[in-house]
DNA sequence: CCTACCGATCGGTAGG
DNA sequence: CCTACCGATCGGTAGG
């Protein structure tokens, strides 16, 4: 996914945007504040991105690219372990970056007001769903999982993950991710894994 | 919960804020835009609320008060039905108001940047959690549910609900709520209901 | 990339 | 509640 080429100055603008977003939130994110983090003028930013909206669309792509790093499924693994490690990376024990989750939540809330944002989230979601569904499907063929609808089950797990992140950020609940991980595990055990046979 | 007394003009300001928020989103929500919806001057708003922040805190309370209406548990019902109807109101077939969910998501994303916001969400969450946990606890005593940790199970169900709403709004997925309702049902069946005994 | 600047709009207030 | 206005800041541009 993604990995669009970014020039050195553009990369710096993305980092500055990230810092400004974490500190001020989307509603108070201004080109001036990004420029301050960048330690350059606002004109320097408009030189690379014509409008603020264009900058933010590029920034969302940058944010989502960053997620690619830590969502890996080892095709060598058995389906159950592959699904488990996918869930571990979706709901990590230790969130990678404090501000990242806040920034992501801020951007997600803009989706209803910005079609370009929403399209990127939808695309990303479809990609993650495919990874989960593939692991589940393999597990069904193998006999590890029951004959459920793979994409439906994958969507259930993504719903649990999204809910966990939402609660982690909104309620400032440090345990929300670990708990959601537990809920996901329960769901796998209760609705996916084959009932004790033999 | 809530039901703080609001004067007639204050009620009108809340409605105008709601309309402006739905139309423009939180980031582009200005006192002027609220005043336009109100068909009065911005000074009329500042007469009732000293600052924009004060107005928005009051507005969030207004929003959450509105939720009270449709989250009712009939104490007469048996635990399983009470839990089921709670989940139905948390994840309704037909969302009550188009803009309501968008407005709520917008406000939720502000929680990390506004402590007063977050406190209200935390309080609301605790209240909902209590209702769910009570139904589960009664079900355990009755023998309908297994001997799980009631609040833990309730939190799992809330996570599923939050995830469903998040996906409904962010991905503009009309089926997200119904699907989340199904996931919640699966969770109840797989992790709560007593395994076939007798 | 910078300086300097544009018109528009921001949240908020004074005076009535 | 309104009119009129405040200083500050907004996104963006011209000229170099």
């Amino acid at each position: 996914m993604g990995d669009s080429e970014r020039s050195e100055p553009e990369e710096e603008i993305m980092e500055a945007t990230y810092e400004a977003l974490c500190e001020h939130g989307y509603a108070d994110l201004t080109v001036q504040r990004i420029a301050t983090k960048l330690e350059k003028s606002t004109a320097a930013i408009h030189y690379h991105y014509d409008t603020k909206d264009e900058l933010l669309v590029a920034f969302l792509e940058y944010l989502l690219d960053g997620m690619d790093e830590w969502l890996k499924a080892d095709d060598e693994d058995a389906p159950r372990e592959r699904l488990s490690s996918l869930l571990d990376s979706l709901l990590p024990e230790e969130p990678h970056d404090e501000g990242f989750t806040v920034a992501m939540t801020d951007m997600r809330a803009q989706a209803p007001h910005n079609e370009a944002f929403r399209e990127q989230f939808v695309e990303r979601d479809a990609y993650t769903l495919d990874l989960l569904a593939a692991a589940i499907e393999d597990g069904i063929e193998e006999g590890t999982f029951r004959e459920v609808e793979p994409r439906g089950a994958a969507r259930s797990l993504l719903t649990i993950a999204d809910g966990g992140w939402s609660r982690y950020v909104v309620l400032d609940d440090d345990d929300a991710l670990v708990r959601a991980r537990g809920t996901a595990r329960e769901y796998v055990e209760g609705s996916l894994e084959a009932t004790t046979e033999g």
Side-chain angles (χ1 to χ4, degrees), chain A:
Chain A
M1 294 220 78
D3 259 343
S4 49
E5 60 301 325
R6 262 179 290 271
S7 67
E8 171 92 19
E10 281 167 351
E11 186 75 24
E12 284 169 8
I13 292 174
M14 293 298 100
E15 286 165 21
T17 304
Y18 177 74
E19 289 172 41
L21 178 58
C22 292
E23 185 168 325
H24 304 286
Y26 188 93
D28 294 322
L29 181 65
T30 66
V31 177
Q32 179 56 60
R33 280 178 166 145
I34 298 171
T36 300
K37 292 289 181 191
L38 188 64
E39 293 182 299
K40 299 215 169 129
S41 72
T42 60
I45 292 171
H46 280 109
Y47 174 79
H48 292 281
Y49 301 96
D50 282 347
T51 65
K52 187 189 180 189
D53 187 69
E54 188 183 309
L55 161 64
L56 290 174
V57 170
F59 174 71
L60 178 54
E61 199 176 342
Y62 164 84
L63 257 194
L64 293 175
D65 279 357
M67 284 183 55
D68 275 337
E69 320 279 303
W70 40 278
L71 183 64
K72 285 271 180 328
D74 190 345
D75 285 344
E76 306 288 301
D77 282 351
R80 186 194 271 116
E81 283 66 38
R82 214 160 87 230
L83 182 60
S84 178
S85 74
L86 277 171
L87 290 172
D88 282 336
S89 54
L90 281 173
L91 292 165
E93 202 105 6
E94 197 112 342
H96 309 244
D97 192 318
E98 168 62 40
F100 182 85
T101 101
V102 175
M104 192 59 88
T105 302
D106 254 313
M107 298 297 282
R108 280 176 72 96
Q110 299 309 315
H113 310 110
N114 188 321
E115 191 154 355
F117 282 20
R118 198 187 67 222
E119 279 169 12
Q120 290 200 58
F121 283 118
V122 167
E123 189 188 340
R124 161 65 39 146
D125 186 74
Y127 172 74
T128 314
L129 193 94
D130 283 344
L131 288 180
L132 289 169
I136 294 170
E137 197 163 12
D138 289 353
I140 295 172
E141 281 174 19
E142 199 192 67
T144 312
F145 297 141
R146 285 184 245 166
E147 298 230 335
V148 299
E149 215 280 283
R151 299 183 68 80
R155 239 179 304 247
S156 288
L157 292 171
L158 269 184
T159 301
I160 293 169
D162 285 342
W165 280 100
S166 175
R167 298 175 64 76
Y168 176 73
V169 172
V170 175
L171 307 176
D172 195 28
D173 177 2
D174 286 337
D175 302 327
L177 294 183
V178 195
R179 285 210 196 92
R181 184 67 187 85
T183 302
R185 199 176 288 115
E186 277 187 82
Y187 180 86
V188 170
E189 286 167 5
S191 296
L192 281 188
E193 295 194 338
T195 44
T196 45
E197 46 182 336

